[in-house]
Amino acid sequence: MNKASRLFCPALITPKNAVVKQTEQLSRSQKLLTELGLVKSGSNGTYQIMPMAQRSVDKLIGLVQSNMGLAGGQKISLPILTSTQLWKKTGRLEGDISEFYMVRDRSGKQFLMSPTHEEAVTAMLASTSPISYRQLPLRLYQIGPKFRDELKSRFGLMRAKEFLMKDMYTFDVNEETATRTYATVSAAYDRLFQQLEVPFVKVNAATGIMGGSLSHEYHYVSPVGEDTLLQCSSCGFAGNSEVLESSLEESPTSCPSCKSTSLSTVRGVEVAHTFLLGDKYSKPLGATFLNTSGKPQSLIMGCYGIGITRIIAAALEVLSSDHELRWPKLLAPYDVCLIGPKQGSKEQLPAEAIENELLGNIGELCGHQELLHDDRKELTIGKRLLEANRLGHPLTVVVGAKAVQSEAPKLEVHLSEGDSLELDVNEALKLVAEHSQHKRDLLLGRFEQFNEKVGHQL
């Protein structure tokens, strides 16, 4: 059982009269995660993830893996270090490489601490080429750390120098089947973002340094976002302003979809990106397959990224208040926090009998690993409840004096949305059961479509 007294959660303690000098602009999520002890700053642009936040990261990884499996993905692991020789072959070491971390081994060979793995995975396929067309399409993905020497690392996990990413690389026989793969993986992305229940927009995007012929970005709308998006309040259309201005050769004054003039500019945090790459990497690196005629032919590629740690921070940025975290239901570290009576209170003994029974009943409904028992009874209920609300548990159940009153005993149940209810035991357990059922529905894909919230494609 998870006990709050054993949880390593090194919250920042600021003395009452201390004057805090703000040296950088903090985002809402960064401030809360740091203050509450879920994330600690390491060196500049790097972060240490504490146990409670790690639970959220692990849940997101599980959700991503489930959706990648449904899209036909096979999980692999590639080395963090990639030879610079591979990047020279594809031309990606030409131009500005200031964001790349370079290291040398003792023999003088130079490596990249990989910001992405197109070259590495393509070289791996080339080393086993030619493969048969019967083995295609091939969809390989990994989840691991990536590195970029950001000029301005800021907003905590949203723009860090080291971050966790899911990257999938697909290989097909031609553009037609690669386009079908693109549709399949994109559908898995759509499903994932609907499961998270955070309003998002999907927009046409520039291919940039990655290259290729087709690209889409997934964004959470937030004032701290670095991308400028145009959004139509009439039809829900959204587009990356950079791409729209490039295609129209001017800033649009009306919606490209419905022609309404109800266009507004919003900021977006990019949390995922998809690319159709063609043979940009396979051709120079010699990754081929044997076609139906038995002749070698270049593989046609796609790549698909999801920022794992960035989604956590960006989702919290969108959902939380200035003082309290609010998690996507599938990513909350715990589903339920149970707070018992204060030690030495007159209701302690009879309330503890109810508390102990609830520990078993709630654990059966939501899973014992999803229940956090705040057993720090030396603290008042009010202090523990304040902390529970700030941590954003979806449900916090309090067994206090009202639970042992002679007539109509009640539990206090606090929801992360801010509502507070007084319920009897059966009603409280029903609420836990409904929350757990909602999570199961999300995992099974039974969710309302976000048609009015998801941006149309340009």
Side-chain angles (χ1 to χ4, degrees):
M1 183 179 295
N2 302 294
K3 294 182 179 291
S5 61
R6 302 294 304 151
L7 188 62
F8 184 59
C9 195
L12 288 181
I13 307 297
T14 305
K16 238 180 185 180
N17 300 320
V19 178
V20 180
K21 288 186 178 179
Q22 202 63 52
T23 57
E24 62 171 320
Q25 181 188 1
L26 299 182
S27 64
R28 177 189 294 152
S29 59
Q30 179 184 8
K31 182 174 179 291
L32 287 170
L33 287 171
T34 305
E35 285 182 356
L36 293 168
L38 276 67
V39 170
K40 286 178 65 66
S41 176
S43 57
N44 178 34
T46 66
Y47 294 90
Q48 301 153 351
I49 298 175
M50 299 297 104
M52 189 177 289
Q54 186 63 48
R55 286 178 62 89
S56 182
V57 171
D58 291 343
K59 288 181 177 185
L60 180 53
I61 288 173
L63 194 60
V64 168
Q65 289 183 159
S66 172
N67 281 288
M68 291 303 96
L70 290 173
Q74 300 179 61
K75 191 176 182 184
I76 61 172
S77 292
L78 296 168
I80 287 170
L81 299 178
T82 300
S83 170
T84 55
Q85 292 301 315
L86 294 178
W87 282 60
K88 285 177 182 175
K89 286 183 179 179
T90 61
R92 285 214 291 178
L93 276 192
E94 299 169 6
D96 184 12
I97 58 172
S98 57
E99 282 192 354
F100 299 158
Y101 284 104
M102 304 279 197
V103 296
R104 293 182 185 274
D105 66 12
R106 64 186 68 196
S107 69
K109 290 181 179 176
Q110 197 172 41
F111 296 85
L112 277 163
M113 293 181 68
S114 300
T116 184
H117 276 84
E118 283 76 20
E119 282 83 356
V121 73
T122 308
M124 180 185 75
L125 264 291
S127 70
T128 56
S129 289
I131 61 175
S132 169
Y133 69 91
R134 292 185 179 88
Q135 293 175 262
L136 303 173
L138 192 58
R139 299 164 187 170
L140 306 175
Y141 79 96
Q142 63 173 350
I143 296 175
K146 298 288 188 292
F147 302 87
R148 287 177 191 159
D149 189 8
E150 298 283 359
L151 181 63
K152 283 188 177 181
S153 55
R154 56 180 183 164
F155 301 144
L157 297 175
M158 267 190 283
R159 183 155 291 281
K161 295 188 175 186
E162 179 181 348
F163 51 95
L164 197 61
M165 183 171 140
K166 188 283 304 179
D167 42 326
M168 173 182 267
Y169 305 95
T170 63
F171 303 87
D172 280 270
V173 298
N174 54 40
E175 288 285 347
E176 183 183 347
T177 61
T179 302
R180 287 203 293 269
T181 288
Y182 191 89
T184 297
V185 180
S186 294
Y189 272 42
D190 294 344
R191 183 179 191 271
L192 168 71
F193 284 103
Q194 288 172 330
Q195 287 173 316
L196 293 176
E197 298 186 296
V198 181
F200 68 97
V201 291
K202 178 181 178 180
V203 301
N204 239 31
T207 54
I209 189 176
M210 301 293 290
S213 59
L214 184 61
S215 176
H216 290 91
E217 294 168 344
Y218 292 75
H219 287 266
Y220 286 155
V221 174
S222 168
V224 302
E226 295 182 329
D227 290 274
T228 302
L229 310 177
L230 291 173
Q231 197 165 34
C232 175
S233 58
S234 294
C235 71
F237 171 88
N240 190 308
S241 63
E242 178 187 337
V243 176
L244 288 171
E245 289 169 10
S246 175
S247 63
L248 299 173
E249 298 183 353
E250 60 181 359
S251 182
T253 56
S254 61
C255 175
S257 178
C258 73
K259 306 308 176 187
S260 164
T261 56
S262 306
L263 279 180
S264 60
T265 300
V266 295
R267 307 294 292 177
V269 179
E270 181 192 329
V271 287
H273 210 149
T274 58
F275 297 88
L276 196 55
L277 298 173
D279 60 3
K280 174 182 168 64
Y281 299 93
S282 56
K283 201 166 188 178
L285 293 173
T288 61
F289 71 98
L290 291 180
N291 62 24
T292 53
S293 303
K295 295 181 180 179
Q297 188 174 322
S298 292
L299 289 160
I300 303 300
M301 292 178 59
C303 71
Y304 307 83
I306 291 176
I308 300 291
T309 42
R310 183 178 283 193
I311 282 180
I312 301 287
L316 289 173
E317 192 70 30
V318 171
L319 298 178
S320 303
S321 71
D322 287 338
H323 304 289
E324 296 178 354
L325 291 172
R326 185 178 171 193
W327 302 84
K329 288 184 177 63
L330 291 181
L331 302 188
Y334 301 98
D335 286 350
V336 183
C337 176
L338 181 64
I339 297 175
K342 187 180 187 303
Q343 186 176 331
S345 62
K346 61 182 180 181
E347 69 270 7
Q348 181 181 0
L349 289 178
E352 279 184 341
I354 299 171
E355 176 189 14
N356 290 332
E357 189 173 351
L358 281 171
L359 285 171
N361 291 337
I362 292 175
E364 288 294 323
L365 289 171
C366 70
H368 291 283
Q369 284 304 308
E370 296 300 327
L371 171 60
L372 177 65
H373 181 207
D374 196 335
D375 59 334
R376 300 170 298 168
K377 296 190 175 179
E378 71 279 6
L379 302 178
T380 65
I381 285 178
K383 187 164 186 177
R384 284 178 284 165
L385 180 59
L386 178 65
E387 183 180 300
N389 288 339
R390 292 200 76 203
L391 288 168
H393 304 299
L395 296 169
T396 299
V397 180
V398 178
V399 187
K402 291 180 181 178
V404 296
Q405 60 192 9
S406 56
E407 292 184 15
K410 297 288 184 182
L411 303 173
E412 287 181 42
V413 181
H414 298 261
L415 282 63
S416 60
E417 293 86 350
D419 295 331
S420 177
L421 309 170
E422 289 189 2
L423 306 174
D424 64 32
V425 170
N426 288 334
E427 290 170 332
L429 291 176
K430 183 182 178 185
L431 202 60
V432 173
E434 288 172 353
H435 177 80
S436 299
Q437 183 59 52
H438 181 64
K439 283 182 63 182
R440 284 192 290 272
D441 288 342
L442 289 174
L443 290 171
L444 292 170
R446 300 172 187 153
F447 37 73
E448 292 182 9
Q449 298 298 313
F450 277 64
N451 290 336
E452 75 283 4
K453 296 174 181 176
V454 181
H456 297 268
Q457 299 173 20
L458 175 63

